[in-house]
Amino acid sequence: MPIPLIIDTDPGLDDAIAIALALGSPEVEVIGISTVGGNTNLENTTRNALRLLELLDRADVPVASGHDEPYARAKQETGNPPVHGLDGFASVDLPEPKTSVVSTDSPAFMADLIRNSAQPVTLVAIGPLTNIAHMVDRFPEVVPMVGRFIIMGGAAKTGNVTPVAEFNVWHDPEAAKVVFASGLKTVMVGLDVTHSVKTYETEFEWMANHGKFGEVFQQMMKYYTDFYSQFYGERMTHQHDALAMAEAIWPGIMMLEETTIDVETRGELTDGMTVVDDRDRKGRGRNSWVAWTIDGDDFHVRLRNALGALAEPFRS
Ligand code: BDR
Ligand code: CA
């Protein structure tokens, strides 16, 4: 039986790949998508989720929108050009969605799905943790019902927005702090592992004869690669969200270490830092696992298979 999966996301170019990876993998069944503000505003991330599902002929997957504003502070700017373009989807040519959200209260939507699932749900968050923090605040009874909880976020070592903070946690540190303290045992797929895998544009060449699917995904990955090449001097990307999704689909695909994690919310230099306390110095107990390594070649084979399955109906 496939694992029921809820995706909380801010699409986002690498979010799009991650969602497609899940939809193309028979090991999981995507039972709901929740949208959050992050890579772009909530209106755009919700529109993108709906447009993507329609492109993939999966408008049957229910989408609920959640929070735009961070949990306890105002939105802040990274100071970088927008990584995912102004609309979050590199302005690719995708029609306006015909479908709409089933709810504008995604914390309640997720809690209902968790409560009503016959099998424990895997919850995967690949954007800021705002919606998840509100869910655990309002519906703490669902916390022990969650099967696994995976996030793309944080970094034990080096950040990407600041020297120590990763974007999803940096965007809403208070939410991340609430989530790490919630009793949800978090698998933190952070930059330690996502920066270890390089995905080259050639990875998407096979899509060329796959009609609208190929056109949209290749345009997205070209934009994302152009952005990366300005910073890294190489035509490659890090597929942060698809890597976290891989751990949700194939538990144990990464080397994980059980540990204690908290989030800095006040530091002048360290705001948004995920502090990994391998010795649990305050005796709070192990609240998470940190992901350290993955076999990048194996990840790419799995990614190709899943996207290939989804793209098949578009083949010309
Ligand atoms: C994370 O930030 C976003 O830009 C990506 O979608 C990913 O979730 C990487 O730091
Ligand atoms: Ca994301």
Side-chain angles (χ1 to χ4, degrees):
M1 272 245 278
I3 305 167
L5 189 75
I6 300 174
I7 306 172
D8 186 56
T9 176
D10 61 337
L13 301 173
D14 60 327
D15 300 72
I17 297 281
I19 293 168
L21 174 63
L23 291 173
S25 299
E27 294 85 350
V28 293
E29 183 193 351
V30 181
I31 60 169
I33 291 185
S34 151
T35 56
V36 67
N39 284 325
T40 175
N41 63 37
L42 182 72
E43 192 183 336
N44 284 336
T45 60
T46 305
R47 175 172 171 257
N48 292 344
L50 294 169
R51 294 193 296 164
L52 180 70
L53 289 172
E54 287 180 22
L55 168 73
L56 302 178
D57 206 15
R58 289 303 312 271
D60 57 299
V61 176
V63 177
S65 58
H67 289 264
D68 190 24
E69 291 297 321
Y71 185 81
R73 61 168 73 185
K75 275 187 188 172
Q76 39 182 357
E77 296 296 327
T78 61
N80 289 329
V83 184
H84 305 261
L86 290 175
D87 68 347
F89 260 7
S91 301
V92 292
D93 181 22
L94 265 179
E96 287 303 315
K98 294 190 199 69
T99 48
S100 52
V101 293
V102 296
S103 160
T104 53
D105 183 0
S106 85
F109 166 79
M110 289 190 282
D112 278 345
L113 288 174
I114 293 164
R115 232 183 258 117
N116 297 328
S117 175
Q119 265 192 81
V121 164
T122 290
L123 178 59
V124 56
I126 53 177
L129 290 164
T130 321
N131 291 337
I132 309 290
H134 285 287
M135 184 190 81
V136 300
D137 271 357
R138 291 170 54 201
F139 311 103
E141 72 282 3
V142 303
V143 166
M145 299 176 195
V146 173
R148 297 183 77 223
F149 176 54
I150 310 344
I151 69 164
M152 189 292 124
K157 294 183 180 158
T158 305
N160 56 1
V161 180
T162 77
V164 293
E166 178 281 331
F167 176 78
N168 288 336
V169 176
W170 172 89
H171 183 85
D172 195 347
E174 285 79 12
K177 196 172 183 72
V178 166
V179 170
F180 276 108
S182 68
L184 271 178
K185 199 150 177 178
T186 308
V187 178
M188 182 175 101
V189 179
L191 300 176
D192 313 287
V193 70
T194 67
H195 276 172
S196 74
V197 179
K198 293 179 182 179
T199 301
Y200 294 94
E201 256 177 322
T202 47
E203 203 54 59
F204 306 102
E205 273 173 0
W206 62 268
M207 292 178 175
N209 60 343
H210 287 76
K212 190 72 181 170
F213 178 101
E215 192 190 305
V216 166
F217 277 91
Q218 283 192 323
Q219 274 176 21
M220 285 180 170
M221 287 306 109
K222 179 176 182 314
Y223 185 97
Y224 199 41
T225 309
D226 286 345
F227 180 88
Y228 264 80
S229 63
Q230 288 171 44
F231 286 87
Y232 295 87
E234 204 182 350
R235 291 200 64 74
M236 62 89 200
T237 58
H238 295 308
Q239 294 294 328
H240 306 280
D241 292 344
L243 284 156
M245 191 61 76
E247 177 58 36
I249 301 169
W250 301 287
I253 194 174
M254 294 177 182
M255 206 261 275
L256 304 178
E257 184 187 347
E258 199 172 16
T259 193
T260 304
I261 301 178
D262 200 350
V263 179
E264 177 59 76
T265 56
R266 287 187 295 234
E268 183 195 348
L269 302 175
T270 54
D271 195 30
M273 177 182 182
T274 41
V275 179
V276 178
D277 184 359
D278 57 350
R279 284 163 46 193
D280 190 23
R281 288 158 176 86
K282 289 192 173 166
R284 286 177 287 200
R286 301 304 193 191
N287 64 352
S288 30
W289 284 273
V290 57
W292 289 121
T293 54
I294 186 170
D295 177 340
D297 292 338
D298 176 55
F299 164 74
H300 284 123
V301 170
R302 290 170 193 255
L303 181 64
R304 227 171 295 144
N305 287 341
L307 297 186
L310 270 191
E312 194 50 35
F314 294 85
R315 187 201 280 269
S316 48

